[in-house]
Amino acid sequence: MQYQSPASIDEAVAALASIGGACVLAGGTDLLVQLRSGTASRAAVIDVKNIAALRAIAETADGFRIGAAVCGADITEHAALVAAWPGVAEAAGLIGSTQIQGRASLGGNVCNASPAADTTPALIAARAVAEIVGPNGKRSIPVEQIATGPGKTSLASGEIVVSFLLPTRPARSADAYLRLIPRTEMDIAVAGAGVNLTLGEDGTIADARVAIGAVAPTALVLDAAPGILVGTKLDEATLATLAEAAGAAARPIDDKRGTIDYRRKVVGVLAKRAALIAYGRAKGAR
Amino acid sequence: MTYEPKNLRVVGTRPIRHDGADKVTGRANYASDFTLPGMLWGRVLRSPHAHTRVISINTDKARALPGVKAVITGADLTLPPPGITQAGESAINTQHLAKNLLARDKVFYDGHPVAAVAAISEAIAQQALGLIEVVYEVLPHVIDVDEAMRDDAPLLHDDLFTEGVEPKPEKPSNIAKRIFVGKGDIAKGFAEADIVIERSFTTKAVHQGYIEPQGVVANYAEDGQAMVWCSSQGQFLIRDLCITMLGMEASSLKVIPAEIGGGFGGKTTVYLEPLALMLSKAAGRPVKLTMTRGEVLRATGPHSGSSMTAKIGAMKDGTITTAEVVIKFQAGAFPGSPVGAAVMFCSAPYDIPNLSITGYDVVVNIPKIHAYRAPGAPNGAFAFETVLDELARELKMDPIDFRAKNSAVEGSKSPYGPTHGPIGGIECLSSAKNHPHYKANLGPNQGRGVASGFWINIGGQSAATVVVNRDGTISLVEGCPDIGGTRASLAMMCAEVLGIVAEKVRPSIVDTTAIAFNDVTGGSRVTFATGIAVVQATEDAVRQMRERAAKMWDIEVDQVGWRDGAAQELNGNRSLTISQIAQKAAKTGGQIMGHASINAHGAGPSLTTHLCDVEVDRETGKITILRYTTFQDAGKAVHPSYVEGQMQGGAAQGIGWALNEEYIHDAQGRLENAGFLDYRMPVASDLPMIDAVIIEVPNPNHPFGVRGVGEAPIVPPLAAIANAIYDATGVRMRDLPFSPPKVLAALEAAGKAKANG
Ligand SMILES: Cc1cc2nc3c(=O)[nH]c(=O)nc-3n(C[C@H](O)[C@H](O)[C@H](O)COP(=O)(O)OP(=O)(O)OC[C@H]3O[C@@H](n4cnc5c(N)ncnc54)[C@H](O)[C@@H]3O)c2cc1C
C-alpha cells in the first residue's frame, strides 16, 4: 500500500486520479480501522492533513468555513465558532473520546457515510455546504447530497471535500444536536437529531430546520419541521407533533443496537429535546 | 477458633505497589511483548458456523504457500486419556479441552478453532488460513438454555447423559448434570409463610472482558525441552494442561509468567499455548500466537447465560421460612458451567430453614463457559435478591432490616454444608444502613436499590521463598500471577513479620522451574493462601536468623528474640540487624533462605452489601448510575487501596453486566457483537466514583485475619440495580441486560397495563 502526503489540493486530486484504488486519509479513525479489520483495502492512501486549506477554520463574509480535515478538538476549542454554531460543535465534540477528538474530522465523518455519523445531521440542519474539488474543477453541494447510502457517497472518483461552509445567520439563531447511545462515550448513535432555529423578536420561531440520523440509510431532512415549528414558541403540543413527525419520517432497521420501534420513539424524543435546547440558546443569543 | 488481635505496623497501610512504576510507564512486559530470534507468527482458522460436522480439512494449499512453516489440525492433537485438572474454582476435563483447542469431527460454536498455521509473517499466516479447505455439514444449533433443554432441541453430544438424576436417562440430551442442595421441608416452609413470591429471571452470556487478549510465545526445542511465555492466572496450570495435551514431562516445559492484563477467571485455562507448542515443534522454530479482540469474544470462555425461577416465602414478622429455586445455566460447547456455585450460594447470606435449590448444566452452541469472578453467584443473587426486595416491600419492611433479620451469622449452617465461622453479613448491612448514602434524598425518576452477596473463597496450594540479601533487603519469591495487587500485599505481610518496611521486600513471580507448584490466582485465594505461605516462609527465615545471631553471640537460640528487623538478645541489649546477620552468613552456615509450601484451608467467606442509586430516563429507557456504595467484609485489609480497588472493580463489572453487556447472536448462531463497540462494557464516564467501605471481621484461619475479597463485589450489582430501577419507576426488570430499548419497552408495557387496569 502506498502513502502520499501532498501539500496542495491540486496534488492531492492528481494523486487520487492517477492511482487506481486510492482514497483520502484524514484522521483515519474510520479508514484505519477498516483497513486493519480487512473490511476495506486500498492501493494508496492520500493523506490530506498537510494541506493548509483543509486544516483551517475561517470566519468569512459568507460564514464560517471549516476545513474538511480539521479535527474535533480544534472545532470545540474555537470560541467564535462554538458561539455561532453550538450544535455543530457539540456534534463534532461527541465523536469518540479525547484521543479520537485529536484526529476525527468533519470530512471523514460525512464522507465515511455511516448512517449514524454524528456531525452529518447537525451540518444538514445548519444548511452546511460542502465545497468540493475534483479532476473537473470545483463544485458546492449541500451536505445532505453527499451520502447516498451506508458507506456510499455522490463524490466522483478523484473528488475531495475541501471545506464546509456554515452560512452567516440572523440574530437570535442557534442550533443543537443530541444523540442516544447506551454508554456515555465511545459508542455509536442509536438515533440522533440536529435542530437549527431562528427566532423573531418576541421569541416566535421564524425559521427552523431539523435533520435526523441513524434512523435511515442516510441522515434525513425532516421536511415537516418548518411547518410544525415556525410561528410557535415550542409549546407542549408543538413538541409532541415534532416528535411524532420525526418518528414517522424515520425509516429505521431492527438490529443489535435497537429495534425499529425504539428508534422511532427515541428519534422523536431527541428532536424534541434538541429543539428545546436550540430554542433556549437562540433566546439567549445576540 | 478465634482471631487474636495483633499490633500491626505494615499490614493495613498503603505503600506504593512494587509493580506500579513499570505499569504506569509501560515497561511491564505482557504476553505479546516477547519476541525471539527466528520467531514465526501463528494464526488460527475458526469455524464460521455455530454447529457443524467437519467432513474434511485439506491443508495442502496452505502448506504449499511459500513462508508457511507448519499447519496443524485436530488430527495432530492426540486425544489425551480422560482426566480432570483442577483450575482454581473450575475443573477442566482434559478430553473436552483437547476438543475445544482444535475441533475434531464436530464444531460446536462460531469461532471454534479448526486449524492453525505458523509462517514467517502475520500476513502470510493470514493468507494461508484462506487456503485451508474445510468441508462443513451445517447442523441446527441451539443457544438459549431453555430451548436447549427441550426434547426436540438439536443435540450437541450424542454421548451425553444427564448426571444426577435417577434412574439414569436412556436418551442423550443437552442436560449434562442436575445439581441439588436442600434442607428441611419446603412444603412445611411454604405453609408457614404469610406471603410467597415466585418470579422468573433470565440473563445473557457475558464475557470477562480483560483488556489484554490471550497471547503466547512458545519455543519447542529438538531435545524435547520447551518454554512458553504467556499471560495467565497460573503458570503451573498452563504447564500442566500443555504437558497433558502434548504428552510431555513436567520438567520438560518451563512456563514463564508474563505480566497479566486482567483475567477475572478467564485466564485459568489454555486456548493458544498447546497450539503454539505444536506449531513450534512442527516448525522447529519459536512461534507467537495472539488473539484479536474478536477472537477473544468469539472463542474464549464467556460466562453462562441463565434462566432461573425463585420462590421465597416469609412470615409477617419478616422471617424467611423457605426458598425453592431452579437455576439453568448455559455450559457452552462442553459440560461444566458454574451452576453449582449459583445453587450453593444464592441463598447463602441468609439462614433459611427450608431450602430446595436445583441447578442444571446445559450444553449449547457457544464457547465453553469459563470462570468469571465469583463464577455463577451473580446470576443466582440476581434472582434471589430481587425476590427479597419484593418481599420486603410487601412486608413493608426496610430491605436492609429484612435482610439483617434473616442473616447467616457465626454458627449458622450454610446451605452447602459447613457451619459458618465468624462472617460479616450483619456488619455490612448495619454499616450500609448507617451510611449517609442510605439517608440521602432522591429526586424524581431516581431510585435506590439494595442487594447483598456471598462468595465462599478458596485456599489451596501455595509456596513462597524468602531470600535474605546481604544488604538486608529481601527477595520474596512466589508463584501466583498478580492480578489485583497481591505483590504488594504479600510483600507487606513479609515485611510485617520481619519488622521492616514493605519497600525493603521485593516480590517476584517466577517460572514453573523456580518454585514448587502453586494453584492458580483465582478464588480470591492469593492474599489468604499465599499470604500464609509468605508468613510461614518469613517465620522460617526469622528462625534461621535468630539461630545465626545465637551462633554469633555464642548463646542459646531461645535467648534470641526478634523485633524491628533485628535479632535481640533477650537477657541483654545486644542486637543484630538483618544485614549484619546476612553479611556473616557465609561464616555462620551459608546463605539464609526461608521457605514454606502449604495447602491452606479455612478461607473465610466474604459477604457484601451494595447500595445503588439510579436515574431512569422515562422517554429513552436509559439508566444512569448516580451513586454506588459497596460494603464488604475483608477480614483484614492488608493494603486497603487494593481491597477498595477490588470492591470498585467488581461493582463496575457487575454494573456493566446489568446495563448493557450481552452476547448477541444472529439467526445462524454467529456472534454479532464480537468487539467492544457493541459488546458494551462500561467506560469510565459511565460510572460515578464507587465508594468502598471496608468491614473487618477477622478470619481466624489467617495470621492477620485476611479473607479473600476479589469476587464477592460482582455478586450484588445485578439485583441492586434492578431493585433501584423498581424504586425509581415501579417497574420490575427481570431479564438482563437493562439496556435502553428493553427498559423503555418495560416502562411502556407497565404504562399500558396501568391504563387498562
Ligand atoms: C473509538 C472510535 C469512536 C468513534 N466514535 C464516533 C462517534 O461517536 N460518532 C461518530 O459519528 N463517529 C465516531 N467514530 C467514527 C470516526 O471517528 C468519525 O466518523 C470521524 O469523523 C472520521 O473522521 P476521520 O478524519 O478520522 O476520517 P478518515 O478515517 O480519515 O476517513 C473516513 C472516510 O472518509 C473519506 N474522507 C475523509 N476525508 C475526506 C475528504 N476530505 N474528502 C473526501 N473523502 C474523505 C476517507 O477516504 C474514508 O473513506 C468513532 C471512531 C472510533 C475509532
Side-chain angles (χ1 to χ4, degrees):
Chain A
M1 194 173 74
Q2 271 191 55
Y3 170 84
Q4 288 189 22
S5 183
S8 74
I9 295 170
D10 289 349
E11 280 173 66
V13 169
L16 280 173
S18 64
I19 310 168
C23 76
V24 173
L25 170 73
T29 59
D30 278 316
L31 187 60
L32 296 189
V33 177
Q34 292 157 9
L35 291 174
R36 289 194 65 167
S37 70
T39 51
S41 75
R42 298 275 185 261
V45 293
I46 312 302
D47 188 344
V48 294
K49 288 194 292 295
N50 286 321
I51 306 171
L54 274 86
R55 296 293 296 276
I57 299 176
E59 195 171 357
T60 71
D62 304 329
F64 275 98
R65 177 169 279 115
I66 309 173
V70 169
C71 71
D74 284 342
I75 292 173
T76 52
E77 284 167 17
H78 196 292
L81 177 59
V82 173
W85 295 100
V88 170
E90 75 194 342
L94 280 176
I95 295 180
S97 59
T98 305
Q99 292 92 328
I100 298 291
Q101 287 285 304
R103 292 256 146 190
S105 67
L106 295 184
N109 199 226
V110 170
C111 297
N112 187 57
S114 157
D118 279 309
T119 64
T120 306
L123 288 168
I124 294 173
R127 295 193 179 86
V129 167
E131 301 174 317
I132 299 166
V133 177
N136 302 322
K138 293 185 187 177
R139 63 184 182 112
S140 292
I141 57 170
V143 167
E144 59 269 31
Q145 289 176 19
I146 294 186
T148 54
K152 295 200 175 69
T153 68
S154 62
L155 296 177
S157 125
E159 280 190 325
I160 298 174
V161 176
V162 172
S163 51
F164 295 93
L165 183 68
L166 300 174
T168 53
R169 53 194 343 211
R172 292 178 301 279
S173 299
D175 61 341
Y177 175 77
L178 281 180
R179 66 167 181 186
L180 184 108
I181 55 173
R183 287 185 287 217
T184 46
E185 59 177 358
M186 297 297 282
D187 216 324
I188 182 164
V190 176
V195 176
N196 180 22
L197 301 177
T198 298
L199 311 186
E201 272 178 32
D202 67 346
T204 305
I205 297 174
D207 182 30
R209 190 166 154 88
V210 176
I212 53 179
V215 288
T218 63
L220 300 175
V221 177
L222 186 58
D223 293 323
I228 296 167
L229 297 174
V230 171
T232 76
K233 291 182 176 177
L234 274 194
D235 51 289
E236 284 287 325
T238 304
L239 288 168
T241 314
L242 175 68
E244 217 160 279
R251 286 182 274 123
I253 53 167
D254 269 328
D255 71 2
K256 60 193 170 196
R257 296 182 184 134
T259 59
I260 290 176
D261 190 42
Y262 183 72
R263 286 189 154 114
R264 277 192 200 282
K265 280 183 186 130
V266 166
V267 78
V269 172
L270 296 173
K272 187 174 82 173
R273 292 180 180 177
L276 279 168
I277 296 170
Y279 188 81
R281 284 175 179 164
K283 266 183 133 175
R286 272 175 300 130
Chain B
M1 207 171 165
T2 47
Y3 177 79
E4 280 173 34
K6 298 183 175 65
N7 191 8
L8 301 173
R9 288 195 295 185
V10 182
V11 167
T13 64
R14 302 175 188 244
I16 290 174
R17 65 194 288 166
H18 302 74
D19 49 320
D22 273 358
K23 285 188 173 149
V24 299
T25 57
R27 274 198 180 79
N29 288 313
Y30 294 85
S32 58
D33 290 329
F34 291 91
T35 304
L36 292 176
M39 192 180 79
L40 302 175
W41 300 83
R43 294 289 295 149
V44 176
L45 181 69
R46 297 178 184 280
S47 165
H49 307 292
H51 192 198
T52 74
R53 239 177 275 290
V54 180
I55 305 298
S56 65
I57 307 177
N58 186 338
T59 60
D60 293 350
K61 286 183 190 155
R63 284 178 203 279
L65 183 70
V68 171
K69 300 294 179 190
V71 183
I72 56 169
T73 68
D76 300 301
L77 179 57
T78 311
L79 202 60
I84 299 288
T85 301
Q86 203 59 37
E89 286 158 348
S90 36
I92 296 172
N93 175 310
T94 46
Q95 291 200 335
H96 293 164
L97 178 65
K99 293 177 185 172
N100 193 44
L101 285 168
L102 279 172
R104 303 170 89 84
D105 48 344
K106 254 183 123 181
V107 154
F108 292 106
Y109 55 92
D110 163 40
H112 198 158
V114 289
V117 301
I120 55 172
S121 74
E122 249 183 313
I124 294 175
Q126 187 64 38
Q127 197 187 341
L129 294 188
L131 298 175
I132 298 174
E133 295 160 344
V134 188
V135 179
Y136 296 107
E137 180 196 327
V138 177
L139 302 169
H141 70 277
V142 62
I143 289 175
D144 181 81
V145 67
D146 287 312
E147 283 173 25
M149 288 176 76
R150 295 204 329 226
D151 273 352
D152 58 350
L155 194 63
L156 273 73
H157 305 279
D158 53 20
D159 58 351
L160 186 66
F161 297 87
T162 312
E163 273 179 48
V165 291
E166 289 298 336
K168 184 178 182 296
E170 283 164 18
K171 259 179 56 184
S173 75
N174 293 324
I175 307 169
K177 198 173 186 176
R178 177 181 173 278
I179 296 170
F180 179 78
V181 158
K183 65 173 172 182
D185 175 349
I186 55 161
K188 181 169 150 277
F190 283 122
E192 285 164 6
D194 295 308
I195 43 168
V196 174
I197 292 181
E198 178 176 3
R199 301 286 183 236
S200 293
F201 301 82
T202 62
T203 75
K204 294 288 181 61
V206 293
H207 198 269
Q208 293 84 349
Y210 34 79
I211 285 298
E212 182 201 21
Q214 269 82 358
V216 56
V217 175
N219 196 9
Y220 195 109
E222 289 75 2
D223 62 356
Q225 298 296 306
M227 292 205 267
V228 159
W229 289 257
C230 69
S231 124
S232 79
Q233 289 176 242
Q235 58 273 41
F236 290 92
L237 174 69
I238 304 301
R239 180 195 66 185
D240 289 354
L241 294 174
C242 286
I243 63 175
T244 307
M245 292 302 122
L246 278 91
M248 297 167 71
E249 292 181 339
S251 61
S252 298
L253 177 61
K254 180 195 278 203
V255 178
I256 300 163
E259 199 56 70
I260 175 169
F264 309 109
K267 289 183 185 162
T268 56
T269 188
V270 290
Y271 297 99
L272 298 177
E273 292 83 353
L275 307 188
L277 278 167
M278 289 166 68
L279 288 167
S280 175
K281 186 179 178 183
R285 284 165 67 170
V287 172
K288 179 179 205 154
L289 263 177
T290 50
M291 284 196 195
T292 62
R293 178 64 53 193
E295 289 180 287
V296 170
L297 288 166
R298 278 174 71 205
T300 72
H303 171 65
S304 309
S306 56
S307 170
M308 302 172 288
T309 301
K311 181 177 174 188
I312 308 177
M315 300 197 294
K316 281 201 186 95
D317 71 350
T319 307
I320 301 175
T321 57
T322 189
E324 184 181 17
V325 187
V326 176
I327 304 176
K328 304 162 195 167
F329 265 30
Q330 290 174 322
F334 300 97
S337 74
V339 69
V343 166
M344 289 189 290
F345 308 142
C346 65
S347 71
Y350 311 102
D351 191 0
I352 302 174
N354 307 296
L355 282 179
S356 159
I357 309 180
T358 311
Y360 294 95
D361 182 45
V362 184
V363 293
V364 299
N365 293 112
I366 63 173
K368 165 74 178 71
I369 294 305
H370 206 70
Y372 178 24
R373 206 168 192 159
N379 308 51
F382 171 45
F384 207 88
E385 296 283 322
T386 306
V387 175
L388 289 191
D389 196 66
E390 284 202 48
L391 281 168
R393 283 176 190 272
E394 285 283 319
L395 291 164
K396 306 213 168 5
M397 265 183 94
D398 175 275
I400 293 183
D401 292 344
F402 178 49
R403 284 173 171 81
K405 185 172 175 68
N406 293 286
S407 264
V409 293
E410 181 168 4
S412 309
K413 193 164 150 52
S414 69
Y416 51 91
T419 299
H420 288 304
I423 50 170
I426 292 269
E427 287 79 355
C428 290
L429 288 164
S430 61
S431 174
K433 184 141 193 224
N434 294 320
H435 195 275
H437 181 168
Y438 200 57
K439 298 168 187 140
N441 289 332
L442 291 166
N445 299 317
Q446 297 181 353
R448 177 165 300 144
V450 179
S452 288
F454 175 98
W455 187 250
I456 184 168
N457 297 322
I458 61 173
Q461 301 173 79
S462 283
T465 301
V466 170
V467 178
V468 179
N469 299 314
R470 267 202 289 264
D471 60 0
T473 61
I474 302 295
S475 301
L476 174 62
V477 182
E478 46 126 347
C480 292
D482 180 358
I483 54 176
T486 50
R487 261 184 284 233
S489 55
L490 296 176
M492 288 168 72
M493 288 187 263
C494 176
E496 183 75 57
V497 174
L498 288 168
I500 60 176
V501 295
E503 288 76 5
K504 293 285 180 201
V505 181
R506 192 77 201 172
S508 47
I509 298 154
V510 297
D511 71 60
T512 50
T513 64
I515 195 165
F517 176 90
N518 278 257
D519 278 318
V520 295
T521 299
S524 302
R525 66 171 219 93
V526 176
T527 309
F528 171 72
T530 310
I532 295 174
V534 166
V535 167
Q536 291 185 7
T538 313
E539 285 168 352
D540 184 25
V542 167
R543 182 187 50 78
Q544 294 176 41
M545 287 191 282
R546 284 173 48 235
E547 283 168 5
R548 303 304 178 89
K551 231 180 214 174
M552 288 161 74
W553 289 328
D554 201 15
I555 58 176
E556 289 301 316
V557 67
D558 59 12
Q559 295 302 301
V560 182
W562 188 268
R563 207 176 63 231
D564 299 344
Q568 313 280 352
E569 189 182 13
L570 292 179
N571 300 321
N573 50 17
R574 283 186 293 182
S575 71
L576 284 167
T577 62
I578 296 176
S579 70
Q580 285 169 333
I581 298 168
Q583 275 161 18
K584 291 277 164 18
K587 292 204 177 98
T588 56
Q591 295 302 313
I592 300 160
M593 189 175 91
H595 184 69
S597 184
I598 61 154
N599 189 2
H601 297 284
S606 184
L607 278 110
T608 176
T609 297
H610 289 194
L611 294 181
C612 170
D613 293 357
V614 301
E615 180 167 311
V616 181
D617 184 331
R618 285 179 175 272
E619 288 185 315
T620 64
K622 190 168 167 172
I623 289 164
T624 304
I625 307 291
L626 298 173
R627 184 168 181 182
Y628 205 101
T629 311
T630 72
F631 304 83
Q632 189 181 336
D633 177 14
K636 174 70 195 173
V638 175
H639 193 309
S641 301
Y642 301 130
V643 172
E644 289 158 5
Q646 291 297 316
M647 292 164 70
Q648 292 165 326
Q653 283 188 311
I655 292 169
W657 186 346
L659 295 186
N660 284 302
E661 291 179 42
E662 60 176 320
Y663 266 38
I664 304 172
H665 294 95
D666 69 10
Q668 284 73 45
R670 294 184 186 125
L671 186 61
E672 275 202 290
N673 56 337
F676 279 155
L677 175 56
D678 285 302
Y679 182 84
R680 288 190 169 73
M681 296 182 56
V683 296
S685 52
D686 290 346
L687 300 174
M689 183 64 189
I690 293 166
D691 289 317
V693 179
I694 299 172
I695 314 286
E696 295 183 326
V697 176
N699 172 12
N701 301 313
H702 184 279
F704 303 122
V706 164
R707 45 181 102 228
V709 295
E711 291 168 286
I714 199 176
V715 181
L718 310 178
I721 293 171
N723 295 341
I725 294 172
Y726 178 82
D727 193 43
T729 64
V731 173
R732 283 282 170 200
M733 298 294 298
R734 300 191 185 96
D735 301 295
L736 284 173
F738 310 142
S739 55
K742 280 167 72 178
V743 173
L744 188 64
L747 291 171
E748 285 180 343
K752 276 192 196 124
K754 216 174 183 181
N756 296 339

